[in-house]
Every structure is written in structure tokens, then in C-alpha cells.
Amino acid sequence: SQQGEEDPQALSIQEGENATMNCSYKTSINNLQWYRQNSGRGLVHLILIRSNEREKHSGRLRVTLDTSKKSSSLLITASRAADTASYFCATLNAGGTSYGKLTFGQGTILTVHP
Amino acid sequence: NAGVMQNPRHLVRRRGQEARLRCSPMKGHSHVYWYRQLPEEGLKFMVYLQKENIIDESGMPKERFSAEFPKEGPSILRIQQVVRGDSAAYFCASSTGARGNGYTFGSGTRLTVV
């Protein structure tokens, strides 16, 4: 199985509600990043959290990292229809020959209904 | 600041032809990464390059695929004798190489093999 697995695979909510997506990984990491992808488009970097950080905020986004459980969560508060997209977590491993290589999860498809 | 530029956006090739995908990194970025995304899946790492050097090609198929990042000009991902299974979106990302920074992705090249 692969590093960086998100759940749920799909999430459908109403505008104004909060959306929470989870990500689990398997190896020691340098940092974990969240990306957003609109259908048929490229990825947009949302937020990066380092392995020595536990929580980070950016606007309506809140990311937590629990290295003991090898898991992270992305919370989008007060969701909007424009937040509809796929969300991916990606890990950068700590050291070794995998320097520079991001490992992506399968993604969570978020649908926000107006 | 034009971001990461990929071209073409869409590429259609017949089985057996060659596909050339180009990526110009962001200004100031000397590290380039290629990823492949199959439909409904996350991104899979292919290759990591710096100028004139391949750093990590562990995700690239041994046959028919090659990548370069010359001293001058864009990075090129080349797929020889394409097959239907090569149909995917190919994304390029660039970074400064500093591990604490997120990556900037291009909009991708969607390759369709007919």
C-alpha cells in the first residue's frame, strides 16, 4: 500500500459546513503538504506542516499533524461551493535517497453544495 | 512570474509514436520533478532532476521513458513508442530545493494515446 492515504475518498457537504479530511502515512517524514486540484487542472499548494509542528493555520484552513500516529488532518471551515475539488496530502520523507520526492495519497473528492 | 509552464496542454499520439512533454520551471527554481496521474488516482512520482543531472529516477519505467533537464531550455519528458497505458496527465513541479518549501506545479499535459 502507498504512503499518504486519505479518507474519506469522497465527502459531500452543504455550503457553510466544515469539511475534515484525514491522511495517514507510513514512514518518517520531513514535512507533509496539502494540495488542491480542480477537475482537469493542476495542483495548487495549500499548506505545508513540518514534522516538528503540530498545527498550522492559513485562512479557513487548519492542518494538524500527529507524528506518533503518522496522521494529518485538513479542516476547511465555513466551506463554499468554490472549495469543490480534490484534496491530496503529500509527504516528503526524512533524509535518504528520497530527497525531493513527494509521495501522494489517492485524494479526497470534496463536493460543496450551494 | 509565470509559474511552472508546461506544454502542450493536450497531446494526442497514435500507438507507436513518440511523445515529448516540456516543462519550464519557475524563475529561480533549479529542481524539477515529473509526476504521472492516472484517472481517478493520485500523483505518482517519476523522476527528479536538477540542471544536467538526474537525481532520482526510481519512479520512471526503465523502457521507453527518459527525462532531461539541460543547461539551457526546458526539462523534457520523452516517451517513445507510446502505448494506450501511457494515457495520463503528466505534471511537472519545480522548487528551490529547500526542503521546507512547497512545490509549484504546472497545469499538466494530458496525453491521450489512440
Side-chain angles (χ1 to χ4, degrees):
Chain A
S1 60
Q2 69 174 15
Q3 181 91 326
E5 298 181 1
E6 288 100 330
D7 80 272
Q9 287 189 320
L11 181 60
S12 182
I13 59 174
Q14 295 295 129
E15 222 171 16
E17 293 180 339
N18 295 343
T20 300
M21 289 161 267
N22 303 298
C23 168
S24 61
Y25 58 92
K26 297 187 188 304
T27 64
S28 295
I29 62 170
N30 176 278
N31 65 62
L32 184 145
Q33 306 174 29
W34 284 91
Y35 288 83
R36 165 197 168 123
Q37 183 181 35
N38 286 80
S39 181
R41 306 294 293 274
L43 278 79
V44 175
H45 179 257
L46 295 176
I47 197 165
L48 179 153
I49 187 164
R50 293 177 174 75
S51 60
N52 61 352
E53 297 176 310
R54 292 296 165 258
E55 188 171 313
K56 206 158 181 182
H57 297 253
S58 176
R60 293 184 296 113
L61 305 180
R62 174 177 161 247
V63 168
T64 61
L65 178 65
D66 186 336
T67 52
S68 66
K69 294 180 180 176
K70 290 187 167 58
S71 67
S72 172
S73 67
L74 171 67
L75 167 67
I76 304 174
T77 59
S79 63
R80 305 166 183 167
D83 294 329
T84 294
S86 293
Y87 291 82
F88 294 92
C89 71
T91 53
L92 183 67
N93 286 355
T97 57
S98 57
Y99 183 88
K101 167 184 168 182
L102 286 179
T103 304
F104 282 83
Q106 298 285 77
T108 293
I109 300 171
L110 173 66
T111 304
V112 182
H113 300 280
Chain B
N1 186 356
V4 177
M5 304 300 293
Q6 286 188 251
N7 66 80
R9 289 291 302 273
H10 299 274
L11 182 61
V12 179
R13 283 288 177 264
R14 295 188 186 281
R15 280 179 295 172
Q17 290 184 320
E18 178 180 289
R20 280 186 180 237
L21 289 63
R22 295 174 186 78
C23 169
S24 296
M26 269 190 76
K27 190 176 180 180
H29 287 189
S30 58
H31 297 243
V32 165
Y33 314 84
W34 285 94
Y35 289 81
R36 176 164 63 177
Q37 185 179 34
L38 295 170
E40 309 300 326
E41 291 191 13
L43 277 72
K44 297 288 195 295
F45 169 81
M46 297 183 75
V47 62
Y48 163 32
L49 310 105
Q50 293 181 32
K51 283 285 185 182
E52 300 184 279
N53 284 308
I54 296 175
I55 307 301
D56 183 349
E57 55 181 349
S58 59
M60 202 153 67
K62 294 287 186 287
E63 296 179 356
R64 302 188 299 108
F65 285 72
S66 62
E68 62 176 9
F69 188 15
K71 188 176 179 182
E72 301 290 338
S75 174
I76 306 286
L77 178 67
R78 182 179 175 210
I79 311 173
Q80 295 177 289
Q81 299 175 312
V82 295
V83 300
R84 288 234 171 95
D86 297 333
S87 295
Y90 291 82
F91 290 97
C92 169
S94 72
S95 76
T96 61
R99 305 190 81 179
N101 298 338
Y103 294 14
T104 303
F105 278 81
S107 297
T109 293
R110 277 146 189 85
L111 171 66
T112 303
V113 179
V114 297

